[in-house]
Amino acid sequence: MARSLVTLMAICALGLTWTTAALASQGSCDSQLSGSANSRTVSADALDQSLFNDAVLHYVNVERCNRGLSPLRSDSNLIRATRQHSTHMARNAYISHSSKQSGYRNLQDRLSKANVRYNLAGENVAKSFVFAFDRRNVGTQSQCNFKFSNGATVPRHTYDSLAKDLVVLWMESPAHRKNILERSFHRAGATIGVNDDPNFCGTVYVAQNFAN
């Protein structure tokens, strides 16, 4: 059977950086994430891919639940496909669905390498930051201690806050929103890569894949 493909992209600008299948059975679209997602901050030194995937999937499924759609379930092969891409984007500081890495040049390549079987698939990518700039002006920074223009300290993202911001961003874009709310999709996986650049003390690169 011929495979059809949906490929979509999101890019977060500075300041716009906003478990799961059980949501429907719990009878609430606003179920809370675990305490660890709320308390653990994102760090390039010790990324927790499982916690990040759970957090993103949680907020994606809240959006689907609010519209009466079935929740997506986590898929290990989709996670494998996204991890290759998010890591490569972070190492090379770019944001795209295309890659110059041989054997992983596009979504079809990455899904094939990860042994993902599908008829319909999609991809959202994003660029964000370790620090929660929250669309606000940053006044000063010294050794990764950022201050807003009003003097308040810029906090680091927790896994919860980063995942929430990313899903809010994607939902504001019709193309990415379509992937999140696609009725045909039943599986998803998301991973994160961090480029420890000196300007922002950690730029985040994200990929989320979907499949039926």
Side-chain angles (χ1 to χ4, degrees):
M1 178 183 297
R3 296 180 301 179
S4 56
L5 197 67
V6 179
T7 56
L8 304 169
M9 180 176 69
I11 300 178
C12 298
L14 174 61
L16 181 54
T17 58
W18 283 118
T19 217
T20 27
L23 282 175
S25 62
Q26 291 172 357
S28 172
C29 293
D30 298 315
S31 301
Q32 296 299 308
L33 277 167
S34 66
S36 58
N38 286 293
S39 61
R40 286 191 58 187
T41 56
V42 177
S43 170
D45 298 328
L47 289 176
D48 190 325
Q49 298 288 1
S50 178
L51 189 59
F52 178 74
N53 177 65
D54 286 349
V56 171
L57 196 55
H58 169 86
Y59 285 110
V60 163
N61 279 336
V62 167
E63 297 294 344
R64 291 176 67 88
C65 179
N66 283 331
R67 293 157 182 83
L69 300 173
S70 61
L72 302 177
R73 67 179 186 275
S74 180
D75 183 278
S76 59
N77 286 341
L78 288 173
I79 291 172
R80 186 180 306 119
T82 62
R83 186 162 189 173
Q84 188 283 327
H85 193 44
S86 63
T87 300
H88 190 261
M89 288 192 295
R91 286 175 179 170
N92 295 277
Y94 74 98
I95 181 78
S96 176
H97 293 291
S98 301
S99 170
K100 294 183 179 180
Q101 187 174 14
S102 178
Y104 301 90
R105 294 188 182 279
N106 52 45
L107 178 56
Q108 294 97 319
D109 286 349
R110 294 188 288 274
L111 294 178
S112 177
K113 291 283 188 181
N115 297 315
V116 177
R117 298 176 63 87
Y118 64 96
N119 293 320
L120 181 69
E123 179 175 78
N124 285 349
V125 296
K127 175 182 175 181
S128 186
F129 303 94
V130 168
F131 284 84
F133 296 113
D134 195 25
R135 308 190 193 196
R136 298 167 60 187
N137 293 327
V138 177
T140 60
Q141 82 95 358
S142 175
Q143 297 181 339
C144 296
N145 292 314
F146 293 92
K147 300 286 186 181
F148 289 118
S149 56
N150 64 1
T153 299
V154 179
R156 294 179 70 95
H157 265 304
T158 64
Y159 283 90
D160 172 81
S161 67
L162 178 59
K164 182 177 181 180
D165 285 359
L166 288 167
V167 173
V168 167
L169 171 74
W170 283 330
M171 288 297 292
E172 290 176 344
S173 163
H176 313 95
R177 177 189 179 99
K178 184 178 185 299
N179 267 349
I180 290 173
L181 302 181
E182 172 58 55
R183 290 179 178 273
S184 299
F185 291 152
H186 302 293
R187 299 172 287 153
T191 56
I192 182 176
V194 177
N195 182 302
D196 199 16
D197 67 274
N199 292 322
F200 302 110
C201 299
T203 301
V204 170
Y205 294 84
V206 178
Q208 184 178 33
N209 286 175
F210 306 83
N212 62 344

